[in-house]
Amino acid sequence: MLRTGGGAAPSASARPKELRGRLLTADKLRAAESVALPPRKPDRTIRLRLTGGMAKYDWAFDKKPYSPDRRHPLRAGERVRLVFTNSTSMWHPVHLHGHTFALANAAHGPRKDTAIIVPNGTLAVDFDADNPGLWMIHCHNVYHAEAGMMTVLGYRP
Ligand SMILES: [Cu+2]
């Protein structure tokens, strides 16, 4: 159920002043000292290419639709870099379970668990493998994930 308050509806040309501000993108943000990922060279880099399109609806990583037995192995304690390259014509908000990553474009990159990869864009993120288990990475447009744009990272304690 949706209820609204009283008053007159705004006109179609109404433009809230918040929309006139400067656009903030995540790469302009820095993590607070208390949550910043300490600088460290990655022990492992995993490259995932975002592939597929609307015509075939074959969204995937590396042209392979999700399969539960295809896993990306890690070792506990590693600093892991994920490098996403979007070769599709759509935005994909990619989400990692079980961890937060830091955007790797700068020291003290913001901590996030979802980041948008724009068409033809590349984004690198770093995290520490400090939570053993099997963890999904998937496009957070769930219809893309369900079509196959998801995979699994895993490691033991
Ligand atoms: Cu997607």
Side-chain angles (χ1 to χ4, degrees):
M1 178 183 293
L2 179 68
R3 288 201 173 101
T4 61
S11 73
S13 62
R15 188 120 178 109
K17 70 174 176 10
E18 288 80 0
L19 295 179
R20 291 196 302 263
R22 192 163 55 104
L23 203 61
L24 178 68
T25 49
D27 60 326
K28 308 271 194 311
L29 299 173
R30 294 290 169 264
E33 200 68 50
S34 61
V35 297
L37 200 63
R40 182 175 159 190
K41 247 181 68 184
D43 301 300
R44 181 189 301 272
T45 297
I46 296 175
R47 294 173 192 281
L48 294 172
R49 200 155 68 87
L50 285 60
T51 57
M54 287 298 288
K56 291 189 186 159
Y57 222 77
D58 55 348
W59 306 110
F61 289 122
D62 299 314
K63 295 188 171 175
K64 295 181 194 122
Y66 171 69
S67 167
D69 55 6
R70 188 179 311 114
R71 295 173 182 171
H72 298 273
L74 310 178
R75 282 187 195 286
E78 287 181 329
R79 170 67 55 90
V80 181
R81 175 162 291 175
L82 303 175
V83 181
F84 300 103
T85 302
N86 184 353
S87 63
T88 81
S89 58
M90 279 200 172
W91 292 39
H92 299 280
V94 174
H95 174 53
L96 170 65
H97 286 216
H99 306 79
T100 62
F101 50 69
L103 298 192
N105 59 325
H108 290 204
R111 298 294 294 268
K112 296 166 68 68
D113 65 10
T114 306
I116 290 171
I117 326 296
V118 297
N120 302 312
T122 294
L123 185 74
V125 305
D126 290 347
F127 69 94
D128 286 333
D130 57 3
N131 189 15
L134 292 172
W135 299 110
M136 303 296 299
I137 303 179
H138 63 89
C139 178
H140 224 304
N141 291 335
V142 170
Y143 34 92
H144 291 176
E146 286 173 348
M149 194 179 268
M150 44 183 196
T151 192
V152 178
L153 300 175
Y155 54 102
R156 296 173 191 280

